[in-house]
Amino acid sequence: MKTDSVLEKILTSGQLAVTSEVGPPRGTDPEAVKKKGELLRGVVDVVNVTDNQTAMVRMSSMAACAHLKQLGLHPMLQMVTRDRNRLAMQADILGAYSHGIDNMLCLSGDHPKFGDHPMAANVHDLDSVQFLRMVKDMRDEGKFQGGDEITDPPKMFIGAAANPFADPFELRVARLAKKSAAGADFVQTQCIYNIPKFKEWMKGVCARGLHKEIYVLAGITPMKSVGMARYMKNKVPGMDVPADIIKRMAGVEKKKAAAEGITMAVEMIQELKEVEGVAGFHIMAIEWERKVPEIVERAGLLPRPSV
Amino acid sequence: MSEPTPQFEPVIVAFCCHYCAYTAADQAGAQRLSYPANVKIVRVPCSGKVDALHLLRAFEKGADGVYVAGCLEGDCHFNNGNTRAARRVTQVQKLIEEIGIEKERIEMVLMSAGMGDRFAEVATEITEKIRALGPSPIRGGKPAPARAQTKASAKAAK
Amino acid sequence: MITAERKPLEEIVESVASFDRILLVGCNECVTVCAAGGRKEVGLLASALNMTFLKGGKSVQITEHTLERQCDPEYVEELSQLVGGADAILSMACGAGVQELARRYKDKPVLPALNTMFMGASERAGVWSERCAGCGNCVLGITGGICPIARCSKRIMNGPCGGSTNGKCEISDDVDCAWHLIWERLKALGQTDLYEVNMDAKDWRPAGGAGPRTIVREDLAE
């Protein structure tokens, strides 16, 4: 074991892992985080906490992670390269680990153009691949990015994001290989709606033997309505929502659309469980955390293993 | 800005392409079609030869209205001088708006050499339009003073 | 070239409002090529300023002069005869030119008429785009001749990110994804193996992180 992470233990044991995420509030109330966290207790293994998602200011991921940690949950610190240089990133990693946070997800982040501070400086001192390498070297070499030794290095279980659907598609396996080589232990994918394309990507991942080097958690986001499906298709960068998904959502009564979305998510998980190289699921129920238990249960992923 | 008055006689500068509008003006004369004397014609070898600077200077020197008359679409003697001129007119419209001059005071018109009647019609229309707008806000009736300019060879002078 | 755009006329007018004699100085180099501050643009701005002041009932003397190169002391010297007759200098050069005038003519206010934009190239007539960020450590040799620092919206050195769609950047359909271009070019060159090599975290010191940069050529420096 590289770390004390629960997620690492479950994945190493060969069982399917389940993660989910919460978005911190746009204010100072800790209850907002704790409430969302409680909904996920015993249902998922680790809870991602987003970092200024969609480039909107929110309570810091580290502070929200600390709130969840105090509840006895296992949070995952998300961090984007957009908002911090390498000094601030490393300082926060030390701080997070000092709170017992031992999972993290290394991202570049949405462009500020999409957020509430489009006028902000775009830091990007590192990119996500360089970021992964830095966290790995902190853990395995006990060294800061600048080369100095760290007293009591942080032992983070290191995650990356992958979007199998972004262009150019032919590059997407190679990009995962780059992240794996840089130090990612696991990867959480973009929301999957185009299953054939995801399978094609996974085939490429396995053909390169990458599934033996990096755990792939398949990203699942239940659709609430046909409006959401259309929005995801048209407005969210890098999202691939095939026409039949929109057709299916449009085909049910408005009242029943949410239930249909949940069912669709469950079916997707069941189908993806059988795909070689899929090591677990990352369920991103955006402002819909209360539905995660139902999805996890119906998908046959309960009870969660105790490790 | 002054109220338009019946006595107001605007000064209008028309940059006319030699191959079309200028010849059309001749035709108008030959056909004894009358058009307002307010329009002062500047003959140019092609409307594309008219620079933004010429247009701006016309206003600076006291014009109340300016137009560029080029060949019909596809008929430019030099391929695309007329479309280039139209883009410059648009650019100058933006610039004069920044200065505080109504963009309606400048426009691009197209005609062929045989359109003496159209030449007279356009000249009349534009004169009436500018008359309604009143004097150019920058001149208040007075011509603009000359500006100081240095020669490019100031280095040699030194 | 260094590209620039004229500031809004209103901003320029406000900056020179307290002066009666203005020396308006253009530059024959980059800003002439990108149609922002050459002899022609000097003429247009002089005319526009003149009309703006006339409109306000004010008479201002504007002297136009365009230098061969405003960022070079040798050419800036040429203004010494004219500066005495001006209350302020309005520069239509890039920021380097403005500062060179300010350095040479210490007792005259020097005001910028342009916003300096980026180091770029002409895509087609009337369109310029950013190409180089002047980072001091060129990687174009391994990125297919396309710069990820200057042309990726997140300056990702191991791209593309997950926001690339149909060759376009997530920020706009009008912006090419630099990494898509890099990948296509590497394929065309038969150099896709270069993509697999992770680029290390960048040392930003040569890019300005170590403070203002100076180049000294011992053989030329006096």
Side-chain angles (χ1 to χ4, degrees):
Chain A
M1 290 286 174
K2 301 170 186 168
T3 72
D4 295 327
S5 159
V6 162
L7 185 60
E8 184 181 13
K9 287 191 183 106
I10 292 171
L11 288 167
T12 312
S13 75
Q15 299 171 84
L16 287 170
V18 181
T19 58
S20 186
E21 69 171 31
V22 303
R26 305 201 74 210
T28 56
D29 181 12
E31 293 309 316
V33 182
K34 291 177 178 174
K35 246 184 252 166
K36 285 182 179 177
E38 280 301 346
L39 291 169
L40 301 171
R41 187 188 290 276
V43 172
V44 304
D45 307 314
V46 168
V47 179
N48 286 40
V49 181
T50 56
D51 179 16
N52 286 344
Q53 68 184 96
T54 63
M56 309 266 280
V57 178
R58 290 171 181 271
M59 180 188 288
S60 76
S61 177
M62 198 206 327
C65 280
H67 288 307
L68 295 183
K69 192 73 196 171
Q70 280 165 15
L71 295 178
L73 296 165
H74 301 295
M76 181 179 310
L77 178 75
Q78 291 197 186
M79 193 182 284
V80 298
T81 64
R82 178 195 62 221
D83 304 338
R84 292 171 173 80
N85 72 1
R86 63 191 84 178
L87 275 86
M89 292 165 96
Q90 292 177 98
D92 281 352
I93 291 165
L94 297 182
Y97 195 74
S98 78
H99 282 284
I101 298 156
D102 52 12
N103 303 291
M104 74 175 292
L105 191 71
C106 304
L107 308 163
S108 54
D110 292 320
H111 196 272
K113 181 197 156 109
F114 299 103
D116 61 348
H117 289 76
M119 70 300 279
N122 228 336
V123 180
H124 297 305
D125 179 13
L126 303 178
D127 68 20
S128 54
V129 170
Q130 295 158 349
F131 182 8
L132 289 162
R133 174 69 193 276
M134 177 175 79
V135 185
K136 180 185 160 65
D137 285 351
M138 289 174 82
R139 180 186 71 196
D140 298 345
E141 311 295 324
K143 286 195 169 148
F144 288 116
Q145 204 276 332
D148 284 358
E149 298 223 346
I150 307 172
T151 47
D152 309 313
K155 303 283 186 191
M156 288 287 184
F157 192 49
I158 307 166
N163 184 357
F165 311 104
D167 294 318
F169 178 68
E170 57 183 339
L171 203 55
R172 291 295 153 182
V173 173
R175 173 119 160 114
L176 182 72
K178 283 177 76 113
K179 289 193 169 181
S180 173
D185 299 308
F186 68 95
V187 66
Q188 293 173 324
T189 77
Q190 174 70 286
C191 319
I192 301 160
Y193 296 106
N194 189 340
I195 288 185
K197 201 164 180 182
F198 177 76
K199 285 180 174 168
E200 195 185 334
W201 178 71
M202 274 314 296
K203 209 181 266 174
V205 170
C206 295
R208 263 185 88 144
L210 281 172
H211 62 311
K212 297 207 163 71
E213 322 233 318
I214 188 166
Y215 298 106
V216 177
L217 306 188
I220 301 288
T221 292
M223 295 284 195
K224 282 182 189 174
S225 63
V226 65
M228 175 178 170
R230 291 201 181 108
Y231 179 83
M232 299 274 261
K233 181 185 172 68
N234 300 323
K235 299 280 182 206
V236 181
M239 192 73 73
D240 182 351
V241 184
D244 55 336
I245 299 278
I246 292 172
K247 210 171 139 192
R248 181 166 165 186
M249 289 304 289
V252 294
E253 285 176 58
K254 215 170 176 182
K255 279 202 306 226
K256 292 183 181 158
E260 186 70 10
I262 300 288
T263 301
M264 200 156 68
V266 170
E267 288 170 10
M268 279 183 189
I269 293 174
Q270 275 157 348
E271 184 172 353
L272 294 173
K273 270 186 192 176
E274 308 304 322
V275 175
E276 189 191 5
V278 171
F281 295 93
H282 179 49
I283 303 167
M284 296 161 275
I286 303 151
E287 293 304 316
W288 215 21
E289 290 82 0
R290 65 191 166 81
K291 287 290 176 188
V292 175
E294 182 188 337
I295 295 170
V296 176
E297 186 182 12
R298 284 174 58 192
L301 294 167
L302 286 183
R304 299 308 312 145
S306 53
V307 287
Chain B
M1 213 176 296
S2 315
E3 284 296 309
T5 60
Q7 291 80 24
F8 170 57
E9 290 299 340
V11 176
I12 291 164
V13 179
F15 292 92
C16 295
C17 162
H18 164 80
Y19 290 95
C20 55
Y22 190 79
T23 311
D26 261 358
Q27 282 251 340
Q31 292 168 355
R32 302 200 175 279
L33 297 169
S34 72
Y35 62 87
N38 306 61
V39 176
K40 319 289 180 207
I41 294 175
V42 178
R43 177 163 78 159
V44 289
C46 169
S47 60
K49 187 74 190 149
V50 180
D51 194 273
L53 202 50
H54 299 133
L55 301 172
L56 213 57
R57 289 265 160 86
F59 283 110
E60 195 182 344
K61 302 251 182 251
D64 299 296
V66 174
Y67 66 96
V68 180
C71 299
L72 298 173
E73 223 175 302
D75 282 356
C76 174
H77 206 76
F78 304 97
N79 272 340
N80 59 352
N82 49 357
T83 56
R84 293 163 61 123
R87 288 210 302 268
R88 283 189 201 129
V89 167
T90 309
Q91 183 210 350
V92 171
Q93 278 185 333
K94 287 182 191 151
L95 187 50
I96 65 172
E97 270 201 309
E98 272 196 282
I99 299 165
I101 302 171
E102 305 90 334
K103 71 176 194 308
E104 292 75 17
R105 289 186 186 273
I106 181 165
E107 68 178 283
M108 176 84 200
V109 296
L110 304 178
M111 64 187 69
S112 74
M115 294 176 166
D117 50 345
R118 171 150 166 83
F119 181 88
E121 204 179 287
V122 163
T124 309
E125 269 174 30
I126 291 180
T127 302
E128 287 316 311
K129 182 177 80 175
I130 302 298
R131 198 193 303 278
L133 278 170
S136 158
I138 65 133
R139 69 176 183 117
K142 284 176 291 191
R147 276 187 291 105
Q149 262 176 286
T150 66
K151 289 275 181 280
S153 54
K155 190 164 60 171
K158 190 188 100 188
Chain C
M1 83 193 86
I2 293 171
T3 60
E5 280 184 316
R6 176 172 62 76
K7 283 175 177 286
L9 187 62
E10 198 183 346
E11 185 185 338
I12 299 172
V13 168
E14 206 180 301
S15 73
V16 298
S18 57
F19 306 108
D20 295 323
R21 299 172 305 165
I22 297 162
L23 176 57
L24 177 55
V25 188
C27 176
N28 258 341
E29 294 282 355
C30 316
V31 291
T32 293
V33 184
C34 68
R39 194 183 311 277
K40 184 190 279 188
E41 291 74 29
V42 164
L44 286 170
L45 180 60
S47 183
L49 283 174
N50 211 32
M51 283 192 267
T52 306
F53 292 130
L54 282 173
K55 207 168 119 265
K58 188 181 165 191
S59 169
V60 172
Q61 177 203 311
I62 300 171
T63 306
E64 298 170 38
H65 193 83
T66 298
L67 295 174
E68 200 51 38
R69 188 146 69 234
Q70 235 184 82
C71 58
D72 197 328
E74 189 184 332
Y75 295 104
V76 167
E77 198 53 39
E78 196 177 306
L79 293 177
S80 59
Q81 308 285 315
L82 300 168
V83 165
D87 304 322
I89 307 173
L90 182 57
S91 166
M92 292 198 88
C94 70
V98 175
Q99 293 184 59
E100 204 44 41
L101 296 189
R103 186 168 76 108
R104 169 63 182 84
Y105 303 107
K106 291 189 167 35
D107 58 349
K108 288 291 165 195
V110 180
L111 303 157
L114 304 185
N115 291 321
T116 306
M117 302 296 284
F118 50 79
M119 280 187 271
S122 175
E123 280 203 358
R124 55 181 197 274
V127 180
W128 296 270
S129 6
E130 185 160 15
R131 292 284 185 268
C132 176
C135 76
N137 186 6
C138 193
V139 296
L140 287 168
I142 51 173
T143 58
I146 293 142
C147 180
I149 309 289
R151 299 176 67 180
C152 165
S153 305
K154 300 177 187 171
R155 62 179 192 193
I156 288 177
M157 298 181 70
N158 297 281
C161 77
S164 169
T165 308
N166 296 325
K168 298 295 174 184
C169 174
E170 68 178 30
I171 66 158
S172 166
D173 287 344
D174 299 329
V175 179
D176 289 327
C177 168
W179 274 99
H180 199 116
L181 296 177
I182 291 169
W183 175 246
E184 293 299 329
R185 186 93 207 290
L186 289 178
K187 274 200 296 185
L189 294 171
Q191 295 180 341
T192 51
D193 51 327
L194 286 177
Y195 176 77
E196 300 272 347
V197 182
N198 280 352
M199 264 196 265
D200 285 338
K202 193 169 176 67
D203 181 344
W204 293 105
R205 283 173 291 187
R213 295 168 282 176
T214 303
I215 296 170
V216 181
R217 269 278 302 267
E218 303 287 356
D219 56 331
L220 300 173
E222 282 168 8

